[in-house]
Amino acid sequence: MESAGAATGPASFLSAFYTSYWWIPAAVLATALAIKLPTIIRLWKDPLLRAVGGLLLLACAVFVFVAPSTIVWVNRVTGVPNISAPWVYSLLTAFCGACLVLIIAWRDGVSESSAPTRRATRWVVSVYGGVIVALWVLFALADVPVERTRDLDTYYANTPFMREEILLYLLAHTTAVLITSRLIWNWIRTGGFDAWLRRGLRFLGVGYALNLAFDAAKLTAVVARWTGNDLDWLSLDVAPALACLSAVSIAVGFILPHAGQYLRERRRIRLAHRELRPLYRLMRSVHGSGVPFVLRASPELRLTRRETFIRDVLLPLARRTDERLGARSYRAALGLGFAPERAKALAAAVVVLDAVDARPGTDDDGVSSSSSEDGGGEPDTTDLLSGIGAVSRALGHPEVLREVRARAMAPGDTMAVTE
């Protein structure tokens, strides 16, 4: 909404920037909505996700329709000067209602059918729906013939009915943002949140705090007009910048938990894939070839294929394991000061290496001489196959394995094998 005089110097730069920077938060909010949309559609019955989707959609619409170029287009299409004002105010008021509905859904979880939740949601919809109706009635009663694309709030601050409309939308916005901001900061101080969710809440808290600063700047500029003063720069320059920063912060607050959890899962899969590399290389030397390369394989599929290959090669190999060597190796690892779980993995790695080395000496049944001397039948391979990650990690420390194996094979260790 635009001043009559031509701007020069820094003011000219701000005026030019004003016409384009509204699209930045609109794009960020649209990105947040696009990221959330598949989950919202898949879990449509979840009131919390529906509230998040509605909030992001309305916030994006506010920044699209508040851009000066869109304001001019709407006014021209309808043929009504300044009709964009009640339209943008209505979108902003609906955004306020969505904030409160989100808080209700967040507070009550998925218990949408509970009577208190339904009553609170109906109350919010009724009150803010009534505010939107009142905005249009006040605009119809007001006389606002001069189109303002930048400074409508201050230009018509003393105009009957338009004055009440401006005050009404600002108070409705301030009330909703104040309640939402307070509850978010209260949640941030409580425990039990995932780290990424806590970070997202902090960005949401900052975003709603900036929204309060936006309201303060707008109200101060409007009240200044009522008292005959001119603080229009608060409405023209400060408030829009605060609104954009607020939108970006809110969008990041919704994106961050989703993106953080996604990146954490990707990292877990990459680490698991890399962790299996030593055992995979050993099994590839046994099999003679590895997993065929697939160009478009996802990280999850590559991990699954590697695990499957290792188990397929390890299963027949496990029939040649020497249980007595495993017991002695476990005892040796404990003697070196390793914890029981770590000692178990080291012992399994020693047994696997021994089985690989014993391949040329196997008989027709696939059982090595070291195993058949036992006369104990088939070894239990469940732990070995289920603990391939720990065994692979142990294989990554050959110097430790050499020490454990040397101690296990040392004369005088006559520890009996326990079933």
Side-chain angles (χ1 to χ4, degrees):
M1 318 198 131
E2 196 161 36
S3 298
T8 59
S12 177
F13 171 77
L14 287 172
S15 178
F17 186 58
Y18 185 96
T19 61
S20 60
Y21 72 7
W22 292 107
W23 299 104
I24 298 173
V28 175
L29 288 163
T31 301
L33 179 59
I35 291 173
K36 284 285 187 182
L37 193 58
T39 305
I40 294 171
I41 294 174
R42 188 172 66 253
L43 303 174
W44 180 251
K45 292 184 178 180
D46 188 334
L48 177 59
L49 288 173
R50 290 204 306 269
V52 169
L55 186 147
L56 290 173
L57 180 62
L58 288 167
C60 186
V62 167
F63 283 96
V64 169
F65 284 98
V66 80
S69 57
T70 311
I71 290 174
V72 172
W73 178 80
V74 171
N75 291 342
R76 295 294 179 272
V77 168
T78 60
V80 180
N82 298 312
I83 198 171
S84 282
W87 174 241
V88 171
Y89 295 163
S90 297
L91 288 173
L92 192 59
T93 302
F95 167 79
C96 297
C99 291
L100 293 177
V101 170
L102 173 62
I103 292 299
I104 293 169
W106 207 338
R107 180 195 64 189
D108 296 339
V110 296
S111 55
E112 185 185 27
S113 60
S114 67
T117 301
R118 291 200 306 270
R119 280 198 303 270
T121 301
R122 283 198 299 267
W123 182 87
V124 169
V125 172
S126 300
V127 170
Y128 279 84
V131 170
I132 291 173
V133 172
L135 290 172
W136 286 96
V137 171
L138 290 169
F139 178 77
L141 296 173
D143 183 18
V144 287
V146 181
E147 182 181 71
R148 313 301 296 184
T149 59
R150 284 193 59 194
D151 63 346
L152 184 141
D153 291 345
T154 51
Y155 186 86
Y156 287 112
N158 289 307
T159 301
F161 299 110
M162 198 64 193
R163 173 184 58 225
E164 287 76 11
E165 174 163 359
I166 294 166
L167 183 61
L168 179 61
Y169 98 81
L170 286 174
L171 290 179
H173 185 259
T174 302
T175 301
V177 170
L178 188 62
I179 295 172
T180 306
S181 180
R182 179 180 177 182
L183 289 176
I184 286 175
W185 285 109
N186 285 342
W187 282 330
I188 291 173
R189 288 191 289 268
T190 63
F193 284 119
D194 171 83
W196 286 105
L197 179 57
R198 183 177 294 278
R199 294 186 188 108
L201 282 172
R202 287 198 181 100
F203 274 97
L204 287 176
V206 170
Y208 283 106
L210 289 170
N211 257 322
L212 288 174
F214 163 85
D215 291 326
K218 281 284 188 180
L219 283 168
T220 302
V222 169
V223 171
R225 279 292 187 126
W226 293 349
T227 59
N229 297 302
D230 186 352
L231 293 178
D232 288 9
W233 59 274
L234 287 173
S235 179
L236 290 172
D237 300 324
V238 176
L242 291 170
C244 289
L245 290 173
S246 170
V248 171
S249 184
I250 289 173
V252 171
F254 283 115
I255 292 173
L256 198 58
H258 187 281
Q261 291 165 8
Y262 174 82
L263 292 174
R264 182 174 58 194
E265 182 62 16
R266 294 280 79 73
R267 181 175 179 273
R268 184 194 67 79
I269 291 173
R270 285 197 304 270
L271 288 175
H273 190 268
R274 188 184 311 153
E275 184 180 76
L276 291 175
R277 186 180 300 165
L279 185 55
Y280 170 70
R281 286 176 174 173
L282 182 63
M283 295 300 100
R284 190 171 60 183
S285 70
V286 173
H287 187 269
S289 63
V291 177
F293 177 75
V294 179
L295 181 62
R296 295 180 178 272
S298 65
E300 293 90 341
L301 179 58
R302 287 199 296 270
L303 176 61
T304 301
R305 286 162 61 86
R306 176 166 286 191
E307 289 176 338
T308 302
F309 174 82
I310 290 172
R311 294 178 193 279
D312 288 346
V313 179
L314 192 59
L315 183 58
L317 189 67
R319 298 179 66 245
R320 295 194 294 268
T321 58
D322 186 344
E323 289 188 75
R324 292 183 301 175
L325 176 61
R328 292 195 303 268
S329 299
Y330 179 71
R331 180 184 176 185
L334 290 176
L336 288 171
F338 291 103
E341 285 300 317
R342 176 67 169 158
K344 186 177 180 181
L346 290 168
V350 169
V351 167
V352 170
L353 287 172
D354 180 73
V356 171
D357 293 341
R359 278 181 299 150
T362 57
D363 58 23
D364 292 338
D365 291 331
V367 182
S368 67
S369 57
S370 63
S371 167
S372 60
E373 287 174 3
D374 240 358
E378 291 292 333
D380 184 3
T381 62
T382 304
D383 290 341
L384 181 60
L385 293 174
S386 63
I388 59 174
V391 174
S392 186
R393 285 195 300 273
L395 288 172
H397 299 85
E399 68 288 346
V400 176
L401 290 177
R402 282 194 294 269
E403 178 68 18
V404 171
R405 188 171 187 176
R407 291 199 174 203
M409 300 296 291
D413 192 338
T414 58
M415 173 182 168
V417 178
T418 58
E419 294 297 332

